[in-house]
Amino acid sequence: MLKYVKGPLESIDGVAIYPIISLLIFFIFFAALFFWVVTARKEYINEVSQLPLEKEEADQENSLDLTIN
């Protein structure tokens, strides 16, 4: 299977640069993501982590209000 992919690619000049570019994009993306996670404010992380719970609590309160009325 690999010979069908590798064979035609070997005939292209400069094809070796594409894996290097892919590796650089991968490394830069995850390095930037790691930097953002390390430098993120704890208050922001806590606020964002509570968003799904706040919505769930609000939905429960609304459903309780509807059943009481």
Side-chain angles (χ1 to χ4, degrees), residues 1-2 4 11 16 20 24 28 39-40 50-52 55-57 59 63:
M1 180 69 177
L2 185 61
Y4 296 113
S11 64
I20 295 170
L24 284 174
I28 290 169
T39 60
Q50 294 298 321
L51 284 176
K55 180 170 177 13
E56 186 176 297
E57 290 172 3
D59 289 344
S63 66

Side-chain angles (χ1 to χ4, degrees), residues 38-69:
V38 169
T39 60
R41 293 188 339 257
K42 300 299 179 197
E43 297 85 23
Y44 174 75
I45 300 296
N46 288 332
E47 178 184 341
V48 172
S49 68
Q50 294 298 321
L51 284 176
L53 299 175
E54 291 173 359
K55 180 170 177 13
E56 186 176 297
E57 290 172 3
D59 289 344
Q60 286 178 355
E61 288 174 5
N62 289 340
S63 66
L64 288 176
D65 290 341
L66 294 175
T67 57
I68 293 173
N69 292 332

